[in-house]
C-alpha cells in the first residue's frame, strides 16, 4: 500500500523567511502533485512533477522531485502572508483494474505566515 | 473556479435521512472521483469512475452509494449515515491520469450528520 508522508504537518514562519516542506512516499511512482487548500475552499493545483529531477517554480514556491529517493520538496522563498494555506502532496498510483490511476495524498502541511 | 461544480455546498442531515451529493464537470474529462476529507484523517479516496465505470471502491461502507450516469455527472447517494461520516466530501475529475494530466477539484460539500 502506498504511503505518503509530509512533514512538517504544521509550520509557522515569519514573513521574509525561507522554509522547505518535505514529501516522502513508499512505492515507485514517476508523478507527484502539489496542491494548495485555503480554509473552506477547494484544492488548487500548484505543480505537476513528471520525472526524476523535475523542478518547477511559480512565484515564491519551487517544487522538486527525486524519484530515486522517493522525495519531493516544496521550497518557500521570502514568505508572505498570502501563502498561508494547507499544502498537500499527492502521488499517482495505478489501480488494479484497467489503466486507471488515482492520487494518494499526504496529510497536508498547514502553513501560517506571520507578519 | 476549477470547472468542477458540487452541490449542495453545505448539508445537515439526520441519521435516518436519505440525501444525494451532486458533482458536475464540463471539462471533457473521462475520470471522476469522490474523496472524503475529515479533521482526523488525510484525504481519503472513496470511489473512482473511469469512462462511467466504477474502477475503485476503497472499502467504503454501503451507506455510501455512488452513481455516474454519464461522463459529466457524478452522484453520491447517502442513507443511514453515522455522525462520524461528517466531513468535507470532494469531487474531482481528470483525463485518465497520465503524463501531464492533473485532477481538478470541486469546492466540496460540507456534510454534518446529526
Amino acid at each position: 500500500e502506498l504511503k505518503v508522508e509530509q512533514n512538517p504537518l504544521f509550520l509557522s514562519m515569519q514573513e521574509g523567511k525561507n522554509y522547505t516542506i518535505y514529501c516522502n512516499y513508499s512505492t515507485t511512482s514517476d508523478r507527484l502533485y502539489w496542491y494548495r487548500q485555503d480554509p473552506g475552499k477547494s484544492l488548487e493545483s500548484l505543480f505537476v512533477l513528471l520525472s526524476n529531477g523535475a523542478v518547477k517554480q511559480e512565484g515564491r514556491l519551487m517544487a522538486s522531485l527525486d524519484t530515486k529517493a522517493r522525495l519531493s520538496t516544496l521550497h518557500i522563498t521570502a514568505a508572505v502572508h498570502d501563502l498561508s494555506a494547507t499544502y498537500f502532496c499527492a502521488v499517482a498510483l495505478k489501480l488494479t483494474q484497467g489503466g486507471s490511476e488515482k492520487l494518494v495524498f499526504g496529510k497536508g502541511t498547514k502553513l501560517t505566515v506571520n507578519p | 473556479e476549477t470547472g468542477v461544480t458540487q452541490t449542495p455546498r453545505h448539508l445537515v442531515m439526520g441519521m435516518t435521512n436519505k440525501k444525494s451529493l451532486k458533482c458536475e464537470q464540463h471539462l471533457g474529462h473521462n475520470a471522476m472521483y469522490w474523496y472524503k476529507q475529515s479533521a482526523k484523517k488525510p484525504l481519503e479516496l472513496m470511489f473512482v469512475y473511469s469512462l462511467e465505470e466504477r474502477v475503485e471502491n476503497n472499502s467504503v461502507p454501503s451507506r455510501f452509494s455512488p452513481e455516474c450516469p454519464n461522463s459529466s455527472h457524478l452522484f453520491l447517494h447517502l442513507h443511514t449515515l453515522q455522525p462520524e461520516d461528517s466531513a468535507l466530501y470532494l469531487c474531482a475529475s481528470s483525463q485518465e491520469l497520465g503524463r501531464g494530466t492533473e485532477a481538478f477539484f470541486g469546492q466540496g460539500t460540507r456534510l454534518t450528520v446529526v
Side-chain angles (χ1 to χ4, degrees):
Chain A
E1 179 186 346
L2 173 61
K3 295 190 177 181
V4 181
E5 295 188 356
Q6 282 183 242
N7 71 83
L9 298 183
F10 299 92
L11 176 56
S12 180
M13 57 191 296
Q14 297 294 316
E15 279 192 329
K17 298 293 186 182
N18 305 331
Y19 209 83
T20 300
I21 299 171
Y22 297 89
C23 176
N24 291 89
Y25 54 99
S26 61
T27 61
T28 301
S29 176
D30 60 358
R31 270 169 296 113
L32 189 134
Y33 302 78
W34 283 96
Y35 284 87
R36 167 180 172 150
Q37 186 179 35
D38 291 290
K41 298 277 183 78
S42 181
L43 274 76
E44 173 192 354
S45 178
L46 293 175
F47 300 108
V48 181
L49 301 170
L50 299 178
S51 60
N52 186 41
V55 177
K56 290 196 174 179
Q57 183 164 4
E58 181 73 35
R60 301 175 188 273
L61 301 178
M62 183 173 70
S64 66
L65 178 61
D66 181 343
T67 58
K68 294 181 181 178
R70 296 177 187 167
L71 171 68
S72 179
T73 61
L74 181 66
H75 187 73
I76 303 154
T77 302
V80 293
H81 180 68
D82 286 351
L83 290 180
S84 297
T86 300
Y87 293 85
F88 293 91
C89 65
V91 178
L93 183 67
K94 285 194 183 299
L95 298 175
T96 53
Q97 182 175 342
S100 300
E101 295 185 326
K102 64 181 181 183
L103 293 182
V104 180
F105 283 82
K107 291 186 177 181
T109 297
K110 184 173 182 179
L111 171 66
T112 303
V113 181
N114 303 304
Chain B
E1 183 61 49
T2 63
V4 180
T5 303
Q6 289 186 242
T7 55
R9 295 289 307 278
H10 301 273
L11 177 63
V12 179
M13 60 186 287
M15 288 190 283
T16 59
N17 291 158
K18 290 184 180 181
K19 297 286 184 183
S20 296
L21 311 185
K22 180 181 176 182
C23 177
E24 187 172 353
Q25 60 90 8
H26 296 289
L27 301 170
H29 291 163
N30 55 20
M32 297 186 78
Y33 314 79
W34 279 117
Y35 281 86
K36 175 182 177 182
Q37 186 178 33
S38 59
K40 297 181 179 179
K41 293 185 177 182
L43 273 157
E44 299 174 84
L45 179 67
M46 299 176 73
F47 300 104
V48 180
Y49 275 82
S50 174
L51 299 172
E52 302 158 41
E53 178 184 353
R54 191 192 315 178
V55 294
E56 175 89 345
N57 175 349
N58 203 26
S59 302
V60 180
S62 59
R63 57 186 184 268
F64 295 92
S65 175
E67 178 190 3
C68 187
N70 56 61
S71 60
S72 298
H73 294 86
L74 183 65
F75 294 90
L76 188 62
H77 303 299
L78 316 171
H79 65 98
T80 59
L81 294 192
Q82 304 298 312
E84 60 264 28
D85 296 322
S86 298
L88 180 68
Y89 289 84
L90 290 162
C91 172
S93 73
S94 72
Q95 283 298 98
E96 284 287 5
L97 285 175
R99 301 193 69 74
T101 63
E102 59 192 287
F104 293 86
F105 283 79
Q107 299 274 35
T109 296
R110 173 70 62 185
L111 173 67
T112 304
V113 181
V114 297

